[in-house]
Amino acid sequence: MKNRTKIIVVVSVVVIALLSIRNCSCKRQKTASKPEVSNNNYLITNPPLPLLDIPYQKFEIDPTETNVLSSKYGAKINIPEDAFLDKDGNVITDKVQLSFREFYNPLDFYLAGIPMDYNDGGIEKVLESGCMVELIAKSNTTELFVNPNSKINVDLYSWTKSKDFNLYDLDKSNGKWVEKGKDSISSSTVNEENKALPQIPPLPKIATPASFTIQDDTKMFPEIEDYKNVHFEPIDISKCKISDAQEMKVKPLKNGIFEVTSILKFETFRKESKCLCYLAFEAGKDYNNALKTYQKKYAKLLKQRKLASDKIKFEWDKYYDVVNAFRKLRVKDLSGEEKIIRTLTINNFGFVNCDLPINFPAGGEINPNYVDENGKSITLNNVVLVEKNTNALFKYTNNVKYNPNNDNVLWGLTNDKKIAFIKNADFGSLRNSTSKQKVRMHIHNEKVTTYEDVMKVLF
């Protein structure tokens, strides 16, 4: 193939279709009657270490507008207009103050003092959580209520796509969880989200020895000037069969790719050969000029893609924070390759949970007499057990049931609020018996002041 070939060039016409987007702004139809106000689900919880209770994130919004709020850990609170009512069923138009927090794992449940027991047809079970939130709304210090005609949805990260989970509200009148239907589930990967980014042509390429140029010495086709100082770089040289020809066509395709066709003609003989190419430029001045032209031409598109790409990275970083917390607490073995989001509908303000009722562990049981490492008897409060690969918190007041084949952590608090615990290796020394036995606990004598302190002690 010659680097420079005298030819007659026919440049095809590129048709660009412009797509218009119609924006529809629709107002919700107002009803003559006032919506019925339901009770909220605030519950006086019992945080065992009050200073380490899961903190609220505060927001203030204009309730007459649609709002989308993002939490510190990546949750999205989708609030339609007119989502708040007063106790008489009137729509709130004054500023609304929101208090929000999310709970992902057993340590969250424990520090917040949230009851996780559930009576399933007379059988005492525990709720395994897919994700949970608490949302409180006030205006001028006055408690607000959900507008049933304009409900809030919260998107939360989850470890499971199982459809066996249901939505539950915590009833403040009796501290019981009440089933409220289903949530919705979506998932994605980094590659899937990046593929959906706005497409831009690739950067200009530096010409290699495989590249070729075209030229029209007949001066009959002035449009060839568009390719002045331009090389065509074959995408796959093994599939490129371009040769000297009486006629050539250059057809721009999508994403900066060009289809170059050489046409050989002799009497009735005609042969077409095609080659998919990028545009390329000689290193140095030609390439630098091409790069500047590219950056100027696609400046707006490049900015849009950068913003979208940064948003994807930000949200995946938040997701990895949650995944890493699951890993540290040995709750779930997550790869982190797939981001799972469950959408919870807020029917009442307070605690809303996406849960699955599960049985208490079985196979092992102890009737404990707790002692410290010196054998001195101690009293333990807020005794709980967590087992690997179960996102649940099992609370005990007497006998402790556990699965000997699982990885377990048992802990509680002494009267002076010190953490006393045993881990999986300690369970091997216990007798599987309902008879009283001494259970020697490790006492963490240093003061714990942060969430991370507790995590390091127990996990």
Side-chain angles (χ1 to χ4, degrees), residues 10-21:
V10 178
V11 181
S12 67
V13 178
V14 181
V15 179
I16 301 176
L18 298 176
L19 301 178
S20 61
I21 302 175

Side-chain angles (χ1 to χ4, degrees), residues 116-127 176 357-361 394-395 401:
M116 298 298 289
D117 53 300
Y118 183 73
N119 189 294
D120 188 8
I123 301 174
E124 289 301 320
K125 294 187 177 183
V126 168
L127 291 177
K176 303 296 184 182
I358 61 172
N359 293 316
F360 278 80
F394 302 99
K395 293 186 178 182
K401 296 180 180 180

Side-chain angles (χ1 to χ4, degrees), residues 71-83:
S71 78
K72 179 180 178 181
Y73 297 103
K76 281 190 172 51
I77 311 166
N78 305 289
I79 307 172
E81 60 179 287
D82 302 338

Side-chain angles (χ1 to χ4, degrees), residues 236-248:
D236 185 348
I237 188 65
S238 66
K239 297 180 180 179
C240 186
K241 308 299 182 182
I242 295 296
S243 61
D244 292 345
Q246 291 92 345
E247 183 180 343
M248 294 192 72

Side-chain angles (χ1 to χ4, degrees), residues 225-291:
E225 287 297 308
D226 290 343
Y227 300 106
K228 185 177 182 180
N229 299 323
V230 171
H231 292 245
F232 290 92
E233 182 75 27
I235 294 176
D236 185 348
I237 188 65
S238 66
K239 297 180 180 179
C240 186
K241 308 299 182 182
I242 295 296
S243 61
D244 292 345
Q246 291 92 345
E247 183 180 343
M248 294 192 72
K249 294 181 179 180
V250 180
K251 180 181 179 181
L253 305 177
K254 293 181 179 179
N255 301 324
I257 298 175
F258 289 74
E259 181 186 75
V260 181
T261 304
S262 64
I263 304 173
L264 284 172
K265 295 184 290 186
F266 182 74
E267 295 181 352
T268 60
F269 174 81
R270 179 185 176 92
K271 180 181 179 182
E272 294 188 3
S273 300
K274 298 182 184 297
C275 183
L276 295 180
C277 304
Y278 294 116
L279 295 186
F281 302 84
E282 293 284 359
K285 182 178 178 181
D286 285 349
Y287 180 79
N288 293 338
N289 289 338
L291 184 59

Side-chain angles (χ1 to χ4, degrees), residues 274-312:
K274 298 182 184 297
C275 183
L276 295 180
C277 304
Y278 294 116
L279 295 186
F281 302 84
E282 293 284 359
K285 182 178 178 181
D286 285 349
Y287 180 79
N288 293 338
N289 289 338
L291 184 59
K292 289 178 182 177
T293 301
Y294 172 91
Q295 292 170 337
K296 182 178 180 181
K297 180 177 181 180
Y298 298 111
K300 184 176 180 180
L301 188 57
L302 289 169
K303 183 178 180 180
Q304 290 174 345
R305 184 182 172 91
K306 176 75 165 54
L307 290 173
S309 179
D310 288 348
K311 182 180 179 182
I312 289 173

Side-chain angles (χ1 to χ4, degrees), residues 104-174:
Y104 288 106
N105 59 63
L107 186 56
D108 292 348
F109 315 151
Y110 183 79
L111 293 178
I114 302 171
M116 298 298 289
D117 53 300
Y118 183 73
N119 189 294
D120 188 8
I123 301 174
E124 289 301 320
K125 294 187 177 183
V126 168
L127 291 177
E128 181 173 23
S129 180
C131 52
M132 175 166 45
V133 300
E134 183 187 13
L135 182 62
I136 299 171
K138 294 183 178 181
S139 181
N140 300 319
T141 71
T142 301
E143 178 185 15
L144 301 181
F145 300 83
V146 168
N147 185 345
N149 299 324
S150 189
K151 291 183 179 180
I152 297 169
N153 288 314
V154 181
D155 299 329
L156 280 172
Y157 298 134
S158 182
W159 54 268
T160 177
K161 292 192 293 185
S162 171
K163 295 181 180 180
D164 294 333
F165 286 68
N166 296 314
L167 288 182
Y168 294 84
D169 285 355
L170 190 56
D171 189 334
K172 69 173 182 178
S173 65
N174 56 22

